[in-house]
Amino acid sequence: MSKHLISAEHLTINRIEEIIAKGYKLELSEDAVQRIVHCREYLDKKIATNTKPVYGVTTGFGSLCNVSIGHDYLAQLQINLMMSHACGTGDRVPNEIVKIMLLLKIQSLSYGYSGCKLDTVQRLVDFFNNDIYPIVYMQGSLGASGDLVPLAHLSLPIIGLGEVEYQGKVMSGKEILQIMGWQPIELASKEGLALLNGTQNMSSFAVWALIQSHRLNDWADKIAAMSLDAYNGLVEPFTDAVHQVRPHKGQIETAARMRELLQGSEILEKPKSYVQDPYSFRCVPQVHGTVKDTVAYVESVIDTEINSATDNPTVCPDEDLIISAGNFHGEPIALPMDFLAIALSELANISERRIYKLVSGTRGLPSFLVANPGVNSGFMITQYTAASVVSLNKNLCSPASVDSIPSCQGQEDHVSMGANAAIKLYQVVLNTERVLAIELLNATQALEFRRPLKSSAVIQSIFEDYRKVVPFIINDEVMYPYIQKSIEFLRK
C-alpha cells in the first residue's frame, strides 16, 4: 500500500487528488513528529511558568476571553468546547470531502504551531488510514473563527463522542473506538481549540471543487467541440492569430485545444454558406478560457491556504511567542470560492445555449433532434432541464462573502461566510456537471444526423464510448436514466 509522508514539504492539490484517488495511507514524518512534540513541550512549560492569561489555553473562548480558567479545568475546557460547538445541521458533508478535511487538518497540525499532542494528531491519521468518516454537517460555520462547527463534528469521535461512518454503517464515536480497540484521546490544554479553529472545512470543499473544475473544463472543451461539429459550425474563430492579438492565457489554450479536438473532421471540411456561428460556439475560447484562468487563480490561493497553520492562538516555540490573532478568518478563500462558483456557472450557462441551438431545428438538424417531430417531442425537454439548472446556478452565484452577521456578543464582529460560499460552490459544481452531461446527450444525438460524414478521431472516439452506455433515440423514451448515465460517463 502506497504511503504519503506528512511533512513541512509543500502539499499540492494534485497530490491530494492522488492521495484520495489511490487510497494512500498517511504517516507522520520524523520532522513532523519533532515539530508536534517540540511545540507541545514548549506550551506545557509556558503554562506552568507563565502568570499571564493565554487566550483559549487558560481563558474561555470568544467573548469569554477575559474569564480565567484554573489549571484543574484546562482539559475539561477543551472537551466542553468540542461538545458545545457541535451544532451542525442540514445535509451531511460527503465522505470524499470529509477525507480531504481530515488530511488538511493533519497537515495543518503537523507544522508544530498548534500545540496538539502527538497522540491526538496520530489518532486523526488513524481515522484517515482506516476510512473512518466522522459525520459532519454542511451548515453551521461562519467561516470566521475557522470552521468551528464542522470541525467540532470532525473531532468529536476521537474522544468517543459524535458519530462516524465506517464500512457503510453509521455508529457512535464510542462504538468505533471499541471496534478499533482504541482509548478515547485525553485532551490537554489548547487541543480542542487547535482542532476546531482553522479553515479545513472550507478548504476541503475548495480542493474538491478545484479537482472537479479541471475535469469539467476538460469535458466542456470536448463537448463543445462535438456540439460545434454537430451544429455544422466553423473552425475559423479558433485560428491562433485571432487570439494572439488578445493574449489571455486561457483563451489561447482553449483555441488551440478546439483546433486539436476538431482536427481531421470531415464535417468541418464541408463548405459552409454562412460566415458566423452564434456566440456560444464562436466564443468558446473567450468563455472557457476565462474559466480556466479563474481556476488557476483560485488554485494559487487555495494552494497557499492548505499549506498554512490556521488555528488560534498561534504557538511559535522558536520565537517564544503565543499570539492570539486571526489566521482562522476565511476571507482569503471565501472571495475566491465565490469567484470559482461564478466561473463554473458560466461553463453551464454557455453549454445550455449550445443545447438550445442543437434542438432548434436549424442548420439541417431536425426539430428537437428526432426524425419524426410532432408525434415525438424528442430532446425538447432536455433543454428545459438544463435551463432550470442554469437558472438555479445564477441564484447560487450571489456571493456569500459579501455578507457578515456578528456573533459571540460582538467579539467576532466580521465573519467571512466562507463556509456558505463552499456549500454553494459544491452545488454549482454538481449543477454544471449535469448541464454538460445534457449537452453531451444532445451533441451525440445531433452528430448522428451528419452521417455518413464523421467528426475528428478524438470526437468519434468519445462518441463511440458514449454509445456503449447511451443509445441513439429514434422514438420518445423515458429520458432521465440517460441523463444520469451521461453524468456517470463524465465521471469515468
Side-chain angles (χ1 to χ4, degrees), residues 17-59:
E17 181 178 12
E18 183 180 2
I19 291 167
I20 301 299
K22 295 184 179 180
Y24 285 11
K25 303 299 183 185
L26 303 183
E27 182 179 315
L28 294 173
S29 68
E30 185 177 336
D31 173 64
V33 169
Q34 290 176 351
R35 285 170 174 267
I36 294 166
V37 171
H38 177 53
C39 184
R40 184 66 223 179
E41 288 176 347
Y42 165 81
L43 184 60
D44 286 339
K45 182 178 178 181
K46 203 70 175 176
I47 293 170
T49 59
N50 198 2
T51 57
K52 293 182 180 180
V54 180
Y55 172 74
V57 178
T58 60
T59 75

Side-chain angles (χ1 to χ4, degrees), residues 22-156:
K22 295 184 179 180
Y24 285 11
K25 303 299 183 185
L26 303 183
E27 182 179 315
L28 294 173
S29 68
E30 185 177 336
D31 173 64
V33 169
Q34 290 176 351
R35 285 170 174 267
I36 294 166
V37 171
H38 177 53
C39 184
R40 184 66 223 179
E41 288 176 347
Y42 165 81
L43 184 60
D44 286 339
K45 182 178 178 181
K46 203 70 175 176
I47 293 170
T49 59
N50 198 2
T51 57
K52 293 182 180 180
V54 180
Y55 172 74
V57 178
T58 60
T59 75
F61 309 104
S63 64
L64 300 176
C65 60
N66 295 319
V67 179
S68 293
I69 308 297
H71 278 64
D72 293 343
Y73 295 97
L74 295 185
Q76 189 62 45
L77 173 69
Q78 305 303 313
I79 296 172
N80 289 351
L81 173 73
M82 291 173 64
M83 293 192 299
S84 66
H85 283 50
C87 293
T89 189
D91 294 334
R92 281 177 53 182
V93 176
N95 286 345
E96 59 185 323
I97 296 179
V98 171
K99 190 145 192 177
I100 297 172
M101 208 182 304
L102 282 168
L103 171 58
L104 296 185
K105 176 51 79 174
I106 294 163
Q107 181 71 26
S108 182
L109 296 178
S110 74
Y111 294 131
Y113 298 117
S114 303
C116 269
K117 296 193 282 61
L118 180 59
D119 65 338
T120 303
V121 183
Q122 183 59 52
R123 184 52 46 81
L124 293 173
V125 173
D126 294 337
F127 271 53
F128 184 97
N129 287 345
N130 288 279
D131 293 327
I132 300 168
Y133 303 101
I135 304 298
V136 182
Y137 296 95
M138 288 271 200
Q139 294 175 308
S141 174
L142 298 176
S145 295
D147 289 305
L148 294 173
V149 172
L151 292 180
H153 285 278
L154 185 80
S155 305
L156 275 176

Side-chain angles (χ1 to χ4, degrees), residues 119-275:
D119 65 338
T120 303
V121 183
Q122 183 59 52
R123 184 52 46 81
L124 293 173
V125 173
D126 294 337
F127 271 53
F128 184 97
N129 287 345
N130 288 279
D131 293 327
I132 300 168
Y133 303 101
I135 304 298
V136 182
Y137 296 95
M138 288 271 200
Q139 294 175 308
S141 174
L142 298 176
S145 295
D147 289 305
L148 294 173
V149 172
L151 292 180
H153 285 278
L154 185 80
S155 305
L156 275 176
I158 72 171
I159 62 171
L161 299 175
E163 292 182 302
V164 302
E165 182 181 321
Y166 177 62
Q167 296 182 346
K169 297 179 181 179
V170 174
M171 61 188 70
S172 70
K174 182 179 179 180
E175 287 174 306
I176 191 61
L177 295 185
Q178 290 173 342
I179 289 172
M180 303 304 293
W182 298 333
Q183 292 298 313
I185 294 295
E186 295 182 8
L187 295 178
S189 57
K190 171 68 167 70
E191 287 201 282
L193 198 58
L195 290 166
L196 270 59
N197 264 197
T199 61
Q200 287 77 38
N201 173 68
M202 292 177 277
S203 296
S204 61
F205 274 92
V207 167
W208 176 87
L210 285 165
I211 292 169
Q212 306 310 315
S213 295
H214 288 295
R215 178 175 62 87
L216 295 180
N217 264 309
D218 179 56
W219 271 117
D221 290 346
K222 292 174 180 175
I223 296 167
M226 183 182 288
S227 290
L228 182 130
D229 235 9
Y231 195 61
N232 204 18
L234 302 164
V235 74
E236 285 78 7
F238 311 128
T239 303
D240 185 58
V242 171
H243 304 284
Q244 292 300 333
V245 301
R246 193 195 191 194
H248 292 291
K249 186 173 184 289
Q251 180 176 328
I252 291 173
E253 287 178 358
T254 305
R257 184 89 193 286
M258 292 296 284
R259 294 194 303 272
E260 178 186 339
L261 289 168
L262 291 164
Q263 187 175 8
S265 168
E266 295 173 0
I267 301 169
L268 275 185
E269 293 171 0
K270 187 178 179 182
K272 311 292 193 290
S273 61
Y274 37 84
V275 296

Side-chain angles (χ1 to χ4, degrees), residues 334-390:
L335 272 71
M337 284 192 291
D338 279 332
F339 190 15
L340 183 58
I342 291 168
L344 291 177
S345 75
E346 279 297 277
L347 281 186
N349 207 351
I350 196 170
S351 173
E352 184 278 329
R353 288 293 79 198
R354 291 191 294 265
I355 295 168
Y356 182 88
K357 289 297 182 182
L358 290 174
V359 301
S360 64
T362 57
R363 296 270 178 99
L365 294 173
S367 289
F368 305 118
L369 300 178
V370 283
N372 299 305
V375 174
N376 294 297
S377 295
F379 285 62
M380 177 193 295
I381 307 302
T382 63
Q383 184 266 328
Y384 286 43
T385 302
S388 170
V389 176
V390 165

